[in-house]
Amino acid sequence: MAMISCRGCRQPTLFFICLADFMHVLVTQVLNNKWKRFVALILIGTLTLCWLRTGSGGAGGGIRANGYYSSWRPSQSTKAPKSKYFVHAASDDIYMYSAIANDRQPLNSDLNVVITSLDASYDTLRCCILLDNRTLYTTSAHEYFNYHTMDVHFIARILEYFDPGVYRAHQHICSFPDTGHYASHVTLTSSMCSSDISDYVPILYPPKVQGGIALCAKIAHSGGLDPEKFIEWVEIQRIQGVDKILMFDLGNPEPLTRVFKYYQKIGVLDLQPYELPGLPKDRTLLEKDKHTKQFHHDETLPVLECRQRMGGYTYVLSHDVDEFIIPRQDVDLKTFLKEKMETYMDSAGFFFYAEFFIYNWGPTDTKEDLMVTRYRKATLPHWECTKYVYLPSRVLSSVTHDIYAHRPFTTYRISADEAVLHHYRQCPDDVWDTCFPKTLIDHVMTRFTRNHRLYERVKEVRIATGIKPQWVVSE
């Protein structure tokens, strides 16, 4: 029988991994081929589930800082950076994008920083936190959130362990005593704390915006976003009361960059640079890579990041730049959400049915210059590709189509009679059997031109940015 060795089995996480390895070898040696994989999966799954329930797998499980202080002696950096916008950990295959002070503080009288990363390491990690630019505090890193491409997470963990190589969208939490010292930088390591400041991520402290609405718009890349449609989209969000839009820039053409700069200048757009570090080096977010595991992790990291960076806002919306959450009555989103919270006081967030407005069907009114009034033919409301609004203070994390609420809070579906997600796109061949489902004509978007000067607002931005309305031709 093969022997298993593990130098770190005294640590809870490694103990269960090592024990899982041992049981896998045991059953594959003893049992016949018909049953050994089945029994191995059951044993390993049970052990992994026990590990997840120990509290080491996430925040809120009674994390206490238990570390030590040491003097900070910075050294001169001589190495070339491996990426432009991520920080590569000195001793581990981890690309750290940000370190953000968690809004759920104090947690057990400690301060907390959530590090969002693309992570190919399975080592037990520690946090190295720089205090007042002269002291290091070293403590254990705990898992805050780990994105999985499967819904059954404990099975996903098993498959990931035996199939390494993917850079996972991953978050760790570093908890340390609130002793009045200013925490400026942090890094993750499985060995000694680095003395090179380039191995550390600056710690951000999000502002509190009481009653504010932030919108997480994910990634703009590869020239796929039309400047004209983006102007229209932003102006409708502003009319509805959105205070800040967070977007990630993975390389875009100059006309769109002009529009980005316009909205950055007036304070509406928070545009963060993005890249795809690690391997494979030639990967993209284009359709050709859509069905790879790495694609989903690359696309999900900004969604995880948004929960932390926008954590000071009361509400966070998460949807793409061809989608709008539209109340059926002529009220803005702040008014609508306030009314919903008065009814659902234990809510962590709300999900919305979607109407799809398909360009392939042609315009409803060819005389209209704006997308949202030109295209009024839509599917009946679908419970498909749903999107949401959540309260960061009540949510651990979120992914593209789901929310992970803190107990005792929960989520609710909003009736299609009260609000609907409008989604404008080409025919989704990979989702529907045909592009001829039951349809309706929805005129609700005309209120933005009739009551809120949408056309005048869009025209003003077109003139300021030199954008001409050419989107009709490209459809």
Side-chain angles (χ1 to χ4, degrees), residues 9-216:
C9 286
R10 292 185 180 182
Q11 306 229 9
T13 301
L14 291 180
F15 170 78
F16 281 108
I17 292 176
C18 295
L19 190 55
D21 271 348
F22 173 77
M23 296 305 297
H24 175 73
V25 172
L26 176 64
V27 295
T28 53
Q29 293 289 333
V30 175
L31 299 177
N32 60 42
N33 288 332
K34 182 178 180 180
W35 292 101
K36 64 185 182 181
R37 288 189 178 181
F38 174 77
V39 176
L41 184 61
I42 295 298
L43 289 171
I44 295 169
T46 302
L47 291 168
T48 307
L49 185 60
C50 291
W51 168 41
L52 292 175
R53 289 180 175 177
T54 61
S56 62
I63 296 171
R64 283 288 297 178
N66 185 18
Y68 58 89
Y69 296 91
S70 60
S71 299
W72 166 248
R73 296 184 177 87
S75 63
Q76 187 75 25
S77 178
T78 58
K79 61 185 180 182
K82 290 189 175 183
S83 62
K84 192 172 182 180
Y85 305 120
F86 286 71
V87 173
H88 189 260
S91 59
D92 299 271
D93 201 6
I94 301 172
Y95 288 89
M96 298 173 287
Y97 186 75
S98 70
I100 298 175
N102 194 331
D103 67 338
R104 292 189 69 226
Q105 56 178 308
L107 179 62
N108 292 338
S109 300
D110 296 327
L111 295 176
N112 309 279
V113 173
V114 174
I115 300 173
T116 302
S117 63
L118 288 173
D119 177 4
S121 172
Y122 286 86
D123 291 329
T124 299
L125 300 173
R126 293 184 294 171
C127 305
C128 305
I129 304 158
L130 180 57
L131 305 174
D132 298 333
N133 293 318
R134 64 174 182 270
T135 303
L136 274 179
Y137 183 79
T138 306
T139 188
S140 298
H142 296 267
E143 185 172 281
Y144 181 84
F145 189 83
N146 192 358
Y147 171 70
H148 300 289
T149 55
M150 292 180 60
D151 291 334
V152 184
H153 289 181
F154 80 89
I155 294 178
R157 285 180 181 271
I158 297 168
L159 297 178
E160 288 172 358
Y161 178 70
F162 289 105
D163 183 25
V166 174
Y167 285 85
R168 297 160 292 150
H170 204 173
Q171 291 178 309
H172 291 87
I173 188 167
C174 300
S175 182
F176 56 100
D178 183 6
T179 56
H181 296 285
Y182 177 69
S184 61
H185 293 75
V186 65
T187 192
L188 297 171
T189 183
S190 61
S191 58
M192 300 294 293
C193 292
S194 172
S195 59
D196 187 344
I197 192 64
S198 68
D199 295 327
Y200 289 71
V201 188
I203 297 174
L204 306 178
Y205 292 82
K208 297 289 183 182
V209 185
Q210 189 64 35
I213 299 179
L215 196 164
C216 181

Side-chain angles (χ1 to χ4, degrees), residues 317-337:
L317 288 68
S318 182
H319 56 251
D320 296 324
V321 292
D322 55 4
E323 298 173 327
F324 308 80
I325 294 176
I326 305 296
R328 306 308 288 178
Q329 300 298 319
D330 190 6
V331 296
D332 62 25
L333 282 171
K334 288 182 178 177
T335 302
F336 178 82
L337 292 172

